[in-house]
Amino acid sequence: MKDKSKRIALKNILKRELKDPEFSFYFQRERAVSEIARLVRDARLKAGLTQGQLAQKARSSQVVIARLESGTDGRVPSLELLERIAGALKAKLLVRFEYKKVA
């Protein structure tokens, strides 16, 4: 017997679900948290610091840095914390708005 299950591409499901404002809000929020986590981790590694060393320089704790880098905490890091991390890494924190292209 052939498997008659219909395959649906994830991008098609996502395109449909992103039309829901609530879903879109939470999706974009999780995307931003994941991107922040990746950027902090990459910058820390580039600086050759351990989580503990970065935490000390940023006046935070290793647990906070680990939680932030995991991207699974569910909380959005404060601008104050990100600014301290940027300063500890001798970097500049940039925040920007991106607008959808209108056809």
Side-chain angles (χ1 to χ4, degrees):
M1 180 184 259
K2 291 184 181 179
D3 183 352
K4 293 186 179 185
S5 63
K6 184 177 178 183
R7 293 181 186 242
I8 301 172
L10 179 59
K11 68 179 181 179
N12 293 338
I13 294 171
L14 194 54
K15 185 177 179 180
R16 183 182 69 224
E17 292 298 322
L18 285 171
K19 291 178 184 175
D20 174 16
E22 185 176 7
F23 179 89
S24 182
F25 171 81
Y26 287 108
F27 180 82
Q28 296 302 332
R29 178 184 166 136
E30 287 304 313
R31 194 177 196 185
V33 169
S34 293
E35 181 67 8
I36 290 168
R38 185 188 63 77
L39 290 169
V40 169
R41 182 178 181 275
D42 290 352
R44 176 182 62 77
L45 292 173
K46 184 177 179 181
L49 297 174
T50 65
Q51 290 178 343
Q53 290 167 328
L54 175 57
Q56 187 175 28
K57 289 176 177 271
R59 299 179 325 276
S60 188
S61 70
Q62 183 273 329
V63 172
V64 168
I65 300 300
R67 192 170 52 223
L68 190 154
E69 287 186 3
S70 77
T72 58
D73 181 40
R75 291 181 272 184
V76 177
S78 69
L79 287 176
E80 178 187 353
L81 174 60
L82 294 174
E83 188 68 46
R84 290 195 325 258
I85 289 171
L89 294 168
K90 297 185 181 6
K92 183 178 181 180
L93 178 64
L94 302 175
V95 177
R96 69 175 190 255
F97 292 98
E98 289 186 3
Y99 298 92
K100 293 180 182 179
K101 293 180 183 177
V102 178

